[in-house]
Amino acid sequence: MPISIRPPSPVDQNYHAFESSGEGSIDSEGDVDMATTSRPRKRPRLSSKHLVTPGESLTDDPQWMRGHGTYTHPPPTTTTPTIHASVAGTILRTNKLLSITPLRARYTPEIGDLVVGRIVEVQTKRWKVDLSAPLLAHLPLSAINLPGGILRRRTTTDELQIRTFFAEGDLLVAEVQSIFQDGAASLHTRSLKYGKLRNGVFLAVSGAGGSGGGGGRVVRSRRQVWTISTANGGGEVDVVLGVNGYIWIAKRTAVDAEARGGSQVSITRLEESSGSGSIYSSQNEEIGTQTRREIARLAGVVRALVEGGVRVDEEMVMRGYERSLEVEMEEGEGEGEGEGEGGGGEGVDYLGGERGKSVVAAAVAAA
């Protein structure tokens, strides 16, 4: 097969114009040398609504300092380091400090936080507690109330019976007492409103970082524990919003009313209270059908708030609960069916989909 040789095509004038502009050099193949190409400095995206991804360049201006969620990487041709994002999130500017607030993060303990945790390990003189934090928290044996409210030093007998207080898998509500140098938290349950949790349901809020107060997470508020007088004969229900994103919704019992009511029983009179022998009991009590329905309703409200990206606190939970009762009443009247002994119609307590969105919208509008 013969080969024909053709003359080369003329060079495009646009290349000469680009080269003469001084913005970069072109090699024989028409490629631009990016190392010698001058470009303007990257300005930091200071909008708190702008999302950045890991590795994205923020700025190379030397006046900015890098904070949490960022790292510096000097380019090969200059000595000015470039600030990059190391996590996905939004930019937070504090004077000349740039940091990234992550979209999903582990809980960062702070002294005084009320948390809900799960026992994962039992040691000689302490328990290891999972708080959804980077490190397991410590609960010393000396930081709990002994049965009967006895005030004394912990002995070897207490160490041998340590599993009679808390065992692996038990849930508890506690307070962060101190923070170690490595970031691990030290807990205590000396107050009567803290201790083992029973007769309820456990929820874990996705993406609860414990810092910031963004949507879809538990935020630090004035009150993390309160009691709801539920409708439909459900009685009183306790709600515990752990700052670490763990939530406990349970039936209020006589022991809770005495021990965790606050001012009725002091720690020195705990031995005289009727529930002193069952504060470390793991046996759940009988819970009626109506109470179970209301506990499930409150859990559905919390899930709807999380899916809607709304903060989870006492105000929003109560507004969502009231709106869910109105939705049930409206649908019951529309169907022309009254509540029987077993409750409303099938699926009337479900708070997902459009029904959940309407509950969240009404709660946000009323806030």
Side-chain angles (χ1 to χ4, degrees):
M1 179 178 180
I3 300 176
S4 59
I5 300 176
R6 297 181 180 180
S9 58
V11 180
D12 192 355
Q13 298 298 327
N14 294 332
Y15 289 114
H16 295 287
F18 183 85
E19 184 176 3
S20 61
S21 63
E23 294 183 358
S25 58
I26 307 174
D27 56 12
S28 59
E29 297 182 357
D31 295 331
V32 179
D33 187 4
M34 301 302 297
T36 59
T37 302
S38 63
R39 54 176 179 164
R41 289 184 181 271
K42 295 180 180 178
R43 296 185 178 272
R45 301 178 177 88
L46 302 181
S47 175
S48 60
K49 298 182 180 180
H50 178 78
L51 297 179
V52 296
T53 56
E56 183 175 347
S57 177
L58 303 179
T59 182
D60 58 1
D61 194 338
Q63 68 174 338
W64 295 99
M65 299 180 295
R66 70 180 187 90
H68 294 289
T70 62
Y71 68 95
T72 56
H73 181 69
T77 57
T78 62
T79 57
T80 303
T82 304
I83 299 179
H84 297 264
S86 60
V87 295
T90 57
I91 294 180
L92 176 64
R93 183 185 68 170
T94 306
N95 294 331
K96 294 298 181 180
L97 180 68
L98 288 181
S99 58
I100 305 298
T101 303
L103 297 178
R104 297 176 62 89
R106 287 263 180 180
Y107 163 66
T108 303
E110 293 186 8
I111 297 176
D113 284 349
L114 184 141
V115 295
V116 175
R118 185 185 297 274
I119 303 294
V120 296
E121 184 179 349
V122 180
Q123 298 181 349
T124 305
K125 297 182 179 181
R126 63 180 179 179
W127 296 268
K128 290 291 190 70
V129 187
D130 174 27
L131 299 180
S132 186
L135 299 174
L136 295 177
H138 303 265
L139 177 62
L141 179 60
S142 59
I144 69 170
N145 289 326
L146 294 177
I150 303 174
L151 300 178
R152 58 172 174 80
R153 294 176 59 89
R154 304 323 187 244
T155 62
T156 307
T157 304
D158 297 325
E159 297 176 6
L160 294 176
Q161 299 177 353
I162 190 171
R163 277 189 170 84
T164 61
F165 307 125
F166 296 106
E168 292 86 345
D170 287 345
L171 290 169
L172 59 92
V173 55
E175 182 180 342
V176 178
Q177 184 177 20
S178 60
I179 305 295
F180 295 102
Q181 292 183 352
D182 59 354
S186 178
L187 310 178
H188 81 89
T189 61
R190 295 190 186 95
S191 176
L192 299 179
K193 61 183 178 181
Y194 305 142
K196 183 177 291 189
L197 298 174
R198 302 181 301 148
N199 305 320
V201 61
F202 172 79
L203 296 176
V205 176
S206 176
S211 60
R217 66 180 60 177
V218 179
V219 298
R220 293 182 176 90
S221 58
R222 183 179 59 88
R223 191 166 64 164
Q224 304 288 143
V225 181
W226 74 95
T227 303
I228 301 177
S229 297
T230 59
N232 302 324
E236 293 185 338
V237 174
D238 289 333
V239 179
V240 181
L241 299 181
V243 181
N244 57 332
Y246 289 168
I247 301 174
W248 182 255
I249 306 173
K251 170 189 175 182
R252 186 173 180 84
T253 61
V255 176
D256 298 329
E258 291 184 359
R260 297 178 186 173
S263 59
Q264 285 82 358
V265 180
S266 63
I267 189 171
T268 56
R269 295 181 55 197
L270 182 61
E271 186 176 3
E272 302 175 5
S273 64
S274 60
S276 60
S278 59
I279 58 175
Y280 291 111
S281 174
S282 299
Q283 184 66 33
N284 290 327
E285 298 181 3
E286 182 66 26
I287 302 177
T289 304
Q290 300 299 332
T291 305
R292 292 174 182 266
R293 284 190 57 201
E294 299 309 313
I295 291 176
R297 186 195 305 275
L298 285 168
V301 169
V302 172
R303 295 190 185 98
L305 293 175
V306 173
E307 293 177 0
V310 181
R311 72 181 191 276
V312 180
D313 58 4
E314 180 184 1
E315 178 185 4
M316 300 307 298
V317 172
M318 292 303 299
R319 294 184 185 276
Y321 178 75
E322 293 172 359
R323 176 55 185 169
S324 66
L325 294 176
E326 296 175 0
V327 170
E328 179 183 5
M329 186 177 300
E330 293 173 358
E331 294 185 357
E333 292 177 355
E335 295 176 359
E337 296 179 357
E339 288 192 2
E341 185 177 352
E346 182 179 359
V348 72
D349 297 329
Y350 176 67
L351 294 178
E354 295 299 329
R355 185 181 300 171
K357 293 180 181 179
S358 64
V359 170
V360 174
V364 173

